[in-house]
Amino acid sequence: MILIAYKYRVYPNNEQALMLTHTFGCVRFAYNSALGYSKEQYDLGNKTNYNDWSKNLTQLKKNPDFAWLKDVSSVPLQQALKHLDKGFKSFFKSGFGYPKFKNKHGNQSVSYMSNGFKWEADKQSLTLAKMKQPLKIKWSRSFTGKPSSLTVSKTKSGKYFISILVKEYIKKLPVANKTVGLDVGIKDLAICSDGTKFNNPRLTNKYASKLAKAQRKLAKKKKGSNNFNKQKRVVARIHEKIANSRKDFTQKMTTKLINENQVIGIESLKVKNMVKNRKLSKHIHDANFGEIVRQLEYKADWYGRKVSAISQWFPSSKMCNECGSLYSGKWSLAIRTWSCECGAIHDRDHNAAINIHNEGLRLIA
């Protein structure tokens, strides 16, 4: 039994859309006020936590100037504080990603626990707290578990989505008699040790001219006008198209790899360090390396596969997969093929994939 999130498109009516807009604003205010209160107390030498933020929110609700906070369910407000608490814990653990103030111009979201909505499985009906009617949801997929929590979001293009978290049983895949090593790159997104290649769709480049044209039009509009807001949504839709296409390609690629291989060897890449290269940062972000690894790991856990991550310092590209000797000359990204002293001629990426495969199997053994 594992937790799975199912995402669906939502079509709220005018009354529901107004309530969601109000809820987005209240949640944003609760989060920002807690973050501001935390910074204020820290400057005074005091440390705060979730309990302190919750007490501060209760005091704000009693203030007549903030009486509108009572118009929405208290569940998403408390969840916003929990998200802030999680953000701080993550920051103190890793040292990256200090919580930032939220604004109304980005993607909006609110989270509900089971006490903040009503779910009727027989009718496939879901009603949020403070709403009179159930939401109109496009049920593109079915699920059998009982929702434990959900998140309603609104994109910059004005679309509404709902992500429902349920606990379900996933059947393991039959054992596969094949293992593979995977080397990710920019020219080819992924090269497998068996010779299979996944071409890089280069989605950012594909939509670059269309996006640039839309952004030039946006720059000529008067900021805040109706035409400006319309064109802003056009730009948002293009960005959305790029992101959705990237997600779709990554999902299909990782699913194919998991279905066909019992063990997958990969490199432990530090994407945050890789994107410091200004010449390649845009292409690295577009390639989605981090998401590829993340999907392989959780899908392997779901379906009974094994992902073997090798060290990022392992010389996979410049080590001969036949004799094990290292390339003796000066190494650079410009070298795509090289010859070993043993007489073997290697394609850089395919050789790396074979070495990753062998090292991944060795680590498991």
Side-chain angles (χ1 to χ4, degrees), residues 174-191:
V175 176
N177 296 320
K178 184 184 173 186
T179 60
V180 75
L182 191 71
D183 180 55
V184 294
I186 295 175
K187 181 182 177 182
D188 294 302
L189 186 59
I191 301 91

Side-chain angles (χ1 to χ4, degrees), residues 24-40:
F24 290 143
C26 290
V27 165
R28 192 168 59 246
F29 176 83
Y31 182 96
N32 289 343
S33 62
L35 180 56
Y37 178 73
S38 176
K39 287 186 174 183
E40 180 184 315

